[in-house]
Amino acid sequence: MIESVISLTSLERINEFRKARGWNHASKEKDLAISISLEANELLELFQWLDNSEAVKQTERLEEELADVLIYSYTLADKLGFNIDDIIEKKLIKNAQKYPVNR
């Protein structure tokens, strides 16, 4: 069983997790976008009132909050029918044109 889980993509694992709990139908795009923002703020909160060197020592909490942001982001991309690798590639190309190396 572990081998089959390992071979799944992150998105497939997220979708399986959500499906097993009956959560797939409830998520609207707006709600997922709000959840990304809320989780990003929880990530930001880990840095509040600390200097950077102190904040980055909270490895487990940082991983958890960043994972939450990514899970909601993957879920929203999937709901919108976006391929994550494709949209990242398009954005990198656009950024490369906007911010060339020689600037």
Side-chain angles (χ1 to χ4, degrees):
M1 171 142 176
I2 289 181
E3 287 182 28
S4 66
V5 171
I6 292 172
S7 67
L8 296 177
T9 67
S10 294
L11 180 58
E12 290 168 331
R13 292 192 60 202
I14 292 166
N15 284 338
E16 279 192 3
F17 182 90
R18 293 172 56 79
K19 182 179 177 184
R21 288 155 181 82
W23 294 352
N24 274 355
H25 65 14
S27 300
K28 304 257 184 288
E29 294 83 353
K30 171 193 68 82
D31 299 322
L32 292 167
I34 290 169
S35 294
I36 291 167
S37 180
L38 293 172
E39 294 299 339
N41 282 302
E42 288 181 21
L43 177 63
L44 182 60
E45 187 177 33
L46 297 177
F47 290 88
Q48 186 177 21
W49 313 121
L50 299 176
D51 69 27
N52 193 65
S53 62
E54 290 177 280
V56 297
K57 291 178 184 174
Q58 304 175 82
T59 308
E60 185 176 351
R61 295 280 317 280
L62 289 166
E63 286 178 348
E64 289 174 359
E65 296 305 337
L66 184 56
D68 286 341
V69 171
L70 292 169
I71 288 167
Y72 280 118
S73 296
Y74 272 60
T75 303
L76 178 57
D78 187 48
K79 185 100 174 163
L80 293 168
F82 297 160
N83 178 291
I84 291 169
D85 291 332
D86 290 346
I87 64 174
I88 289 173
E89 182 63 25
K90 283 189 231 177
K91 183 61 176 175
L92 288 172
I93 291 167
K94 191 173 193 173
N95 285 348
Q97 293 168 349
K98 188 174 181 180
Y99 307 105
V101 174
N102 60 358
R103 263 181 132 179

